[in-house]
Amino acid sequence: MSTSTPLGLLLPDLSEKSPVSVAERAEEWGYDAVWVSELWGTDAFVQLTELATRTERIDLGTAIVNVFSRSPAVIAMAAASVDRLAPGRVTLGVGASTPKAIEDLHGMEYDNPVRRIHETVELVKSYLSDADAVDYEGKLFDTADFPGLDAEIPVFNAALGPANRRATGRVCDGWIPHNIPFETLDDAFEVVADAARERGRDPEETAVAPYVPAAVSDDQTEAYDAVRGHLAYYVGSGEGYRRAVATAFPDEADRVAEAWRNGDRAAASDAVTDEMVRALGVAGTPDEATEQLETILDLELLDRPMLTVPRQADDDLTLETIEALAPENR
């Protein structure tokens, strides 16, 4: 078992078990944190509230809530409310999301996403402080004369492109990368680090919490195919994700994206090579996957990686993966 780096878990959607029951088991098995996602169907802060009342020690995080559909004040209030139930256990993960989600779901213009990240995080952190009055004047937000909520909650940003990574370095407590090959994370983080130094901040105080797509099965093909489907979805449906993967796999990323655009999801998944799966995630038999995960956890840069079982995995594969890779079971 690796002792160098803790491991969190992004809670999966299961048909047979509730997220709470999985979180309770994750706490027993030594996971450092459980994180909840939010796109459509469930509210992240409502989920965290339930988890806060049913767990005792495990950290709780959002991975992620977008910065468009809630104002900074609402985000701060929601995070502080959960923190009152689970003091010191909450991490707020935010992100710019995608034009598809913001425009077609929330009916909002996807305008100035990086600036919105920057100002939202600055304002949220001000609202979470113990200030007597928060006054803020930005390009997007202009607020005044409300007291801080006095809640110590770190704010992480899910940033891919260099501009968003610079915003992370300037104002955030942590970085949540996704679809950036693990072997290139150091280079990608330098953009974060340079921006932090320019602001007089210590880059080493910016936590790195990457998603780790993972699938474990005695049937190696089943495990690889689950991660293949996960990577195909992101590379095919998001230009930022495609560019991130293309830093190491330019031709392969283009083939995946082209197949996805043509509506051939199977071909897109097939275009994800075994090398891409190993560079961007963890897959294989229990012994193979454990060895791959230990290699990732030994990377010096990582602080709070989160195991992410692909939605393409069924309940059995999902639970097998979570159990096999749990800190107490490796």
Side-chain angles (χ1 to χ4, degrees):
M1 172 181 170
S2 173
T3 58
S4 59
T5 305
L7 180 65
L9 173 68
L10 182 67
L11 283 184
D13 292 326
L14 296 172
S15 59
E16 299 295 331
K17 290 185 178 291
S18 71
V20 171
S21 68
V22 177
E24 290 172 333
R25 185 61 62 88
E27 186 169 56
E28 293 174 7
W29 282 342
Y31 281 97
D32 165 71
V34 285
W35 303 75
V36 297
S37 59
E38 178 185 274
L39 178 59
W40 177 236
T42 54
D43 181 284
F45 293 110
V46 173
Q47 291 184 78
L48 285 192
T49 297
E50 185 177 17
L51 295 176
T53 63
R54 296 282 293 273
T55 58
E56 297 178 0
R57 301 175 303 279
I58 199 165
D59 284 351
L60 309 170
T62 58
I64 50 112
V65 294
N66 77 74
V67 294
F68 284 89
S69 59
R70 297 178 179 90
S71 72
V74 172
I75 293 173
M77 283 192 294
S81 296
V82 179
D83 184 67
R84 293 187 192 105
L85 296 173
R89 292 201 281 149
V90 178
T91 299
L92 175 62
V94 301
S97 191
T98 65
K100 172 68 177 175
I102 302 308
E103 293 174 358
D104 292 350
L105 177 59
H106 295 288
M108 303 177 69
E109 185 178 357
Y110 193 73
D111 187 39
N112 291 324
V114 174
R115 187 66 203 173
R116 194 172 186 102
I117 283 285
H118 183 117
E119 292 195 15
T120 295
V121 172
E122 279 193 322
L123 192 44
V124 164
K125 292 180 74 171
S126 293
Y127 279 137
L128 292 173
S129 74
D130 61 357
D132 292 332
V134 174
D135 299 305
Y136 186 87
E137 184 176 350
K139 295 180 179 179
L140 303 178
F141 300 106
D142 190 355
T143 68
D145 203 27
F146 276 81
L149 298 169
D150 194 13
E152 293 186 11
I153 300 173
V155 183
F156 290 17
N157 182 31
L160 285 177
N164 206 353
R165 275 180 275 151
R166 284 193 290 272
T168 302
R170 288 193 295 265
V171 299
C172 296
D173 303 301
W175 176 41
I176 305 176
H178 191 195
N179 272 35
I180 298 175
F182 293 107
E183 65 179 16
T184 69
L185 276 176
D186 278 321
D187 290 339
F189 182 73
E190 275 308 301
V191 176
V192 179
D194 287 344
R197 294 186 193 101
E198 290 169 3
R199 276 294 182 96
R201 308 178 75 213
D202 183 355
E204 293 187 4
E205 294 182 1
T206 302
V208 179
Y211 294 97
V212 182
V216 178
S217 173
D218 290 330
D219 182 344
Q220 185 189 68
T221 300
E222 180 186 34
Y224 269 75
D225 284 349
V227 177
R228 262 189 254 281
H230 174 93
L231 297 177
Y233 168 78
Y234 281 98
V235 173
S237 62
E239 178 58 20
Y241 295 112
R242 187 202 65 78
R243 287 196 299 267
V245 172
T247 58
F249 301 98
D251 296 337
E252 295 90 337
D254 286 345
R255 284 194 289 271
V256 172
E258 181 179 5
W260 190 273
R261 286 194 300 268
N262 291 335
D264 194 338
R265 304 297 191 253
S269 184
D270 289 343
V272 177
T273 67
D274 288 357
E275 186 181 7
M276 291 172 68
V277 170
R278 290 189 292 268
L280 294 157
V282 168
T285 64
D287 287 344
E288 292 168 342
T290 297
E291 183 177 353
Q292 293 168 28
L293 179 60
E294 295 292 353
T295 298
I296 292 169
L297 294 181
D298 284 340
L299 294 174
E300 186 175 351
L301 180 69
L302 271 57
D303 297 290
R304 301 188 65 187
M306 66 182 85
L307 195 73
T308 306
V309 183
R311 294 178 182 272
Q312 289 77 6
D314 62 20
D315 283 9
D316 289 340
L317 179 56
T318 297
L319 293 171
E320 182 177 358
T321 301
I322 294 170
E323 181 174 3
L325 297 181
E328 295 296 331
N329 299 333
R330 295 199 308 271

